[in-house]
Amino acid sequence: MASGQNQNQTARPKLLEVFDLRAYFDTRRGLLRAVDGISFSVAPGQILGLAGESGCGKTTVGLSLMRLLPPGGRIAGGVIRYRGQDVLRMPLRQVRRIRWKEIAMIFQGAMNALNPVRSVREQTADAIVLHDGVPPAQAYRRVAELFELVGIPQGRASEYPHEFSGGMRQRVMIAMALACGPKVVIADEPTTALDVMVQAQILELLRDLQGRLGLSLVVISHDLAFLAELCDHILVMYAGKLVESGPVDALFRAPKHPYTQCLVSAIPRIRGPRVALRPIPGDPPDLTQPLRGCYFRDRCPAAIAECGEAEPQPRPVMAGHLAACHLYPREGP
Ligand code: SF4
């Protein structure tokens, strides 16, 4: 386990614990270390955000939690515990009992994830029949409850995905994720490709469902402003690594890691003085190549000599707040 990483959140009992997770992909260009040593935990009722640019490994973390990595991907090391059970060592049939019933996922891209030739009611019921083994009539009653919960009018339940707007399709995806009564829901880019008004509605829906059902949410997004509105705690990833982790207020008020500082300064603001947005120059590193030192150093405005030599490890910078950067002393605050 990377040093200090499990001190990143308060001492609430944990539902989900991840230690030193590594997920790699075999590619034509070599081994790609998509996730390389991530640790975190999720308490009951907590909303945890996973932030970072596209390709930083956020979705791979979500898929790893479900043991649903695509072909070519594998979990190369680490531990995932759900209610104390080691998910990575479970036989697949036991994982299938946890998947959807305990941990569910709202996949990215609602239109692609839905079956275009089945009505939204039928395919939501299919998921319930498949995972809960109940008769179709019972599944349909459950679908009616779920659709009411997520704000889909009953009169539209027999429609097909192409008849729904992007926001309504996302509601179907949320209903499907909730179909078997999970305790943890992973939402992967739940507002991507939606306009700002619909984004706000989906944000409100997720917040409402979390409160009503007591869910734990792991919300994956490149949109820091969205995460700031919704989450209790945020993990910032860069190039498959955790670079900063902290309570949402502290992380936005006083980000410690230069990468997080760049991300926060790139958020458009509608209040206060007009400030030019500053894009982050350069690109993330090629994770199939051997890398040395800090992975962010080629883009970092604060790099020092040590950054090219040693890889910084996450260390406490304040209570419940970690940063992986040589600018912070090894002994912590
Ligand atoms: Fe920048 Fe160095 Fe900190 Fe990396 S370790 S973020 S290069 S200051």
Side-chain angles (χ1 to χ4, degrees), residues 257-259 294-298 300-304 307 312 324-327:
H257 194 282
Y259 177 60
C294 174
Y295 289 11
F296 187 58
R297 74 178 183 283
D298 290 344
C300 180
I304 53 177
C307 307
C325 174
H326 290 309
L327 298 180

Side-chain angles (χ1 to χ4, degrees), residues 192-274:
T192 297
L194 301 177
D195 67 49
V196 287
M197 298 300 290
V198 180
Q199 283 183 16
Q201 291 167 7
I202 295 295
L203 185 149
E204 202 47 52
L205 174 63
L206 289 172
R207 188 187 278 143
D208 177 58
L209 291 171
Q210 187 278 330
R212 286 164 70 174
L213 304 176
L215 295 170
S216 299
L217 294 178
V218 178
V219 186
I220 296 169
S221 180
H222 65 279
D223 183 345
L224 265 191
F226 171 74
L227 293 179
E229 289 287 320
L230 184 62
C231 299
D232 307 317
H233 195 101
I234 292 188
L235 258 64
V236 182
M237 291 181 65
Y238 183 76
K241 307 266 185 189
L242 179 134
V243 296
E244 186 161 0
S245 159
V248 67
D249 289 346
L251 195 128
F252 280 87
R253 195 173 5 91
K256 300 297 182 191
H257 194 282
Y259 177 60
T260 315
Q261 291 167 358
C262 290
L263 289 178
V264 170
S265 69
I267 298 175
R269 292 167 205 280
I270 54 172
R271 295 194 187 88
R274 293 178 66 169

